[in-house]
Amino acid sequence: MKKIPVWIDCDTGVDDAAALLCAHKLPQAELVGISAVAGNVELEKTYANCHRLTALMGADYPIYKGADKPWFRPLTIATYIHGEDGLGGAELPLPPLQNRPEPAWDALYAAARKYEGELELVAVGPLTNIANAVVKYPDLPQYLKRIVIMGGAAIGGNCTPCAEFNIYVDPHAAQCVFKSGIPVVMCGLDVTMKAYFTDGEIDAAAAAGGDVRRFFRESTRRAMQFCTGLGLPGVSFHDVCALFYVFFPDMFSGDEGGVYVETQSSLTLGKTVTDIYSDHQFEHHNAYVVLDLDRERFVKTITELLAEY
Ligand code: BDR
Ligand code: CA
């Protein structure tokens, strides 16, 4: 089987963790590198969590440290959902940290060049690392196959009424990435809010499991309480959508359009403005906006991948 090379850039919280666990067990995936960015929690924690996760899965992927703060704004974190440690208090042991001096953007660029246009970039945190790569290496777009982003929303928001968390945290970096010329797939809240597990589905996926499945159960408890408290049917695994889009595009549907990020207004800061609901009026259609998925298949696929542990 020809494997698909993939790079994951994440702010390792609860759903980022699920994406990493799934990526490791996808037979079609060649996970080339992981980079950490500040987002759900501070960079030192997201970076450490990447190590915790790879140790848990018994893997040894290269992990790179990225940006510790957004381009211009103070860091906003999301401990109210991911917990102080970013992993819902699941208490994974911390293995020795890798000693890689290159920052995330240098390592990503080197990998993109090595794979000569085949590398799929899955970005599931604020886009600071990727924007740094774009600015430092203007030829990066020609070496990436595309970027699949968990971020934004055609409609609504979760961090503010208009903005999704990853984009809100660093809207200027996000705008740089959307305008970079890298083909973008946006898995925003339109689709990811439909990509949820109920409490019973988490129990079923975690049943009779070892350490990994126990972690899946423990790490999601706090988020489940938070989400059901809001009246939602379960916890969304937002970041897994972006990963799965690379490997199972037929699980999803959406529309092509233009997407640009609001960086000026205080009321709508971080909104991903798209023309898919307004006659496709933007001159340049830079993105595919994912809008829906087969939830049953999504739940089944994660459950099956976790059962591999
Ligand atoms: C996104 O924000 C983070 O809290 C999650 O990890 C996900 O990437 C959802 O808005
Ligand atoms: Ca994330």
Side-chain angles (χ1 to χ4, degrees):
M1 177 193 306
K2 191 171 179 291
K3 294 200 172 202
I4 299 176
V6 60
W7 183 286
I8 300 183
D9 183 79
C10 53
D11 58 337
T12 326
V14 172
D15 57 329
D16 308 70
L20 290 173
L21 293 173
C22 288
H24 179 56
K25 287 296 182 185
L26 276 171
Q28 314 90 318
E30 178 190 354
L31 184 49
V32 168
I34 302 170
S35 48
V37 66
N40 287 321
V41 285
E42 297 82 357
L43 178 66
E44 291 305 325
K45 293 182 186 171
T46 61
Y47 179 65
N49 287 347
C50 290
H51 289 77
R52 290 191 166 94
L53 264 302
T54 50
L56 175 69
M57 59 175 85
D60 186 25
Y61 298 113
I63 300 169
Y64 299 90
K65 209 184 245 194
D68 63 358
K69 54 178 182 314
W71 271 10
F72 302 121
R73 290 175 45 75
L75 178 64
T76 302
I77 56 175
T79 47
Y80 57 92
I81 184 153
H82 297 273
E84 285 300 322
D85 63 350
L87 297 177
E91 294 192 350
L92 287 182
L94 180 62
L97 301 183
Q98 296 175 13
N99 181 18
R100 294 183 191 275
E102 327 83 292
W105 35 93
D106 289 356
L108 170 64
Y109 179 67
R113 292 209 52 159
K114 179 173 166 206
Y115 284 89
E116 298 177 327
E118 289 305 305
L119 187 65
E120 297 264 10
L121 174 54
V122 172
V124 296
L127 291 166
T128 325
N129 289 348
I130 315 304
N132 284 349
V134 165
V135 169
K136 184 163 179 187
Y137 302 106
D139 60 342
L140 176 67
Q142 81 191 63
Y143 294 112
L144 281 174
K145 181 149 187 207
R146 66 182 164 189
I147 178 169
V148 185
I149 290 170
M150 188 287 125
I155 295 176
N158 58 359
C159 198
T160 74
C162 280
E164 180 281 330
F165 178 80
N166 288 336
I167 306 297
Y168 180 80
V169 172
D170 199 342
H172 303 90
Q175 173 72 326
C176 166
V177 172
F178 275 98
K179 290 177 84 174
S180 67
I182 304 170
V184 174
V185 174
M186 180 174 105
C187 292
L189 298 174
D190 314 283
V191 61
T192 68
M193 289 306 292
K194 299 172 190 159
Y196 64 86
F197 269 57
T198 63
D199 205 37
E201 286 163 345
I202 290 189
D203 278 342
D211 289 352
V212 168
R213 281 184 268 169
R214 248 196 312 279
F215 166 78
F216 183 68
R217 178 64 275 185
E218 288 312 312
S219 64
T220 49
R221 270 189 211 291
R222 178 193 182 100
M224 181 62 74
Q225 259 175 15
F226 179 82
C227 293
T228 52
L230 292 177
L232 297 169
V235 169
S236 280
F237 288 87
H238 305 275
D239 294 348
V240 183
C241 288
L243 176 75
F244 278 7
Y245 186 84
V246 173
F247 297 95
F248 312 109
D250 59 337
M251 197 186 279
F252 301 90
S253 59
D255 193 7
E256 292 250 338
V259 179
Y260 298 98
V261 181
E262 174 57 62
T263 58
Q264 306 290 322
S265 152
S266 56
L267 188 61
T268 58
L269 185 71
K271 179 174 171 59
T272 44
V273 180
T274 173
D275 61 355
I276 62 169
Y277 296 123
S278 53
D279 300 336
H280 297 81
Q281 290 168 17
F282 281 136
E283 210 170 291
H284 183 51
H285 287 167
N286 57 340
Y288 182 77
V289 182
V290 183
L291 296 169
D292 206 354
L293 88 168
D294 178 343
R295 190 185 85 87
E296 229 171 85
R297 187 171 162 206
F298 179 80
V299 169
K300 185 164 175 278
T301 307
I302 294 182
T303 305
E304 286 172 357
L305 289 169
L306 292 178
E308 296 284 317
Y309 283 100

